[in-house]
Amino acid sequence: MNMTWNKLLSPVRSLLAGLLCLGLMLWLINPAIAAPLTAPTPIYEQRPIHNPDGIGKFYMGREIAQVMGHQGAGWLERPSRELEEQPQKLIPQLGLKPTDVVADIGAGTGYFSFRIAPLVPAGKVLAVDVQPELIEILEYLQQEKQLSNVEPVLGTVNNPNLLPSSVDLAIMVDAYHEFEYPREMMIAIARSLKPNGRVVLVEYRAEDPRVFIKPLHKMSQRQVRKEMASVGLNWLETKKFLPQQHVMVFGKSA
């Protein structure tokens, strides 16, 4: 009986020995082949200890800043903004055509949306925000200013709700650093661009110690370029005509 079992098990033992030898050979050639599969690196990291101005969520090495709520709408319209940031210099530098469709992401009270609208009379401005209270303000001001080519759009934290291939220029002014899901948002924004569409990010310069803004509300050009490259957006140029902010321009990869 034992001899019968030995005869039956002998081929199995030989097979197992062969597989063991094969595995050893593969490991000697390339240890990665025999290595166990590891979980993919998560896009975001949550840390319990973090800057009080942030949300404890980290993306590509930086902490995401807290969102300024609709309660701060008055700060966006403060009279001193003209002197501090000189936004009147920005709009002429955008190279807009009358037929352009512009997406103002994180539009807030429409500070830029309503200033851009007259320059695109045959186009429109999609004023995107995630806060319903700000959408109400945008709708009220749109009627008050009688600018029919400004369309308030309620987005979500991971989707601006823009149609694919519909936008000539997507602009974010002091907004991107607060996106709770920056990767998902930028993928959606890139998808919304027309073939020659552009993305313009205006952010306070982290490299400049003379810019007295909380650190998480500033971004370095290096960090922005790294994050945009990860979603297939190519850096085109950085303009430095504003006193406190970069104006960084990106286009879709071919």
Side-chain angles (χ1 to χ4, degrees), residues 75-76 78 80-90 111-112 173-174 202 204 213 241-245:
W75 187 80
L76 297 174
R78 66 194 186 282
S80 62
R81 189 172 186 179
E82 292 283 339
L83 179 63
E84 295 165 356
E85 299 179 6
Q86 300 176 16
Q88 68 277 9
K89 292 183 177 180
L90 173 61
Y111 186 92
F112 282 96
V173 180
D174 303 329
V202 182
Y204 287 104
I213 297 292
F241 55 87
L242 296 179
Q244 300 186 73
Q245 297 145 301

Side-chain angles (χ1 to χ4, degrees), residues 93-238:
Q93 294 287 333
L94 296 177
L96 297 172
K97 300 188 295 293
T99 56
D100 278 348
V101 175
V102 179
D104 182 8
I105 315 292
T109 57
Y111 186 92
F112 282 96
S113 296
F114 294 119
R115 286 165 170 79
I116 290 172
L119 300 180
V120 290
K124 59 183 174 181
V125 179
L126 303 169
V128 182
D129 210 282
V130 300
Q131 299 183 60
E133 297 86 353
L134 290 172
I135 295 296
E136 289 181 12
I137 292 173
L138 285 165
E139 290 172 342
Y140 171 79
L141 292 174
Q142 188 264 344
Q143 294 177 16
E144 185 181 69
K145 296 175 183 291
Q146 297 183 340
L147 287 170
S148 59
N149 64 337
V150 174
E151 296 182 13
V153 177
L154 179 63
T156 68
V157 293
N158 58 11
N159 190 342
N161 287 334
L162 299 171
L163 294 174
S165 304
S166 63
V167 172
D168 295 288
L169 175 73
I171 183 169
M172 286 150 274
V173 180
D174 303 329
Y176 174 71
H177 63 272
E178 296 181 354
F179 287 0
E180 186 177 349
Y181 291 91
R183 183 173 180 82
E184 290 82 353
M185 281 290 287
M186 291 312 305
I187 288 173
I189 290 168
R191 191 182 300 125
S192 77
L193 294 178
K194 294 178 182 179
N196 293 318
R198 295 170 294 144
V199 168
V200 173
L201 282 94
V202 182
E203 290 283 350
Y204 287 104
R205 297 191 297 268
E207 301 92 334
D208 190 345
R210 297 169 298 176
V211 177
F212 296 111
I213 297 292
K214 293 179 178 180
L216 293 191
H217 291 271
K218 301 194 288 185
M219 290 195 72
S220 70
Q221 182 179 185
R222 181 178 181 180
Q223 182 71 27
V224 172
R225 289 178 63 172
K226 178 173 71 171
E227 294 184 21
M228 294 304 108
S230 74
V231 296
L233 290 171
N234 293 327
W235 174 78
L236 300 177
E237 62 177 327
T238 297

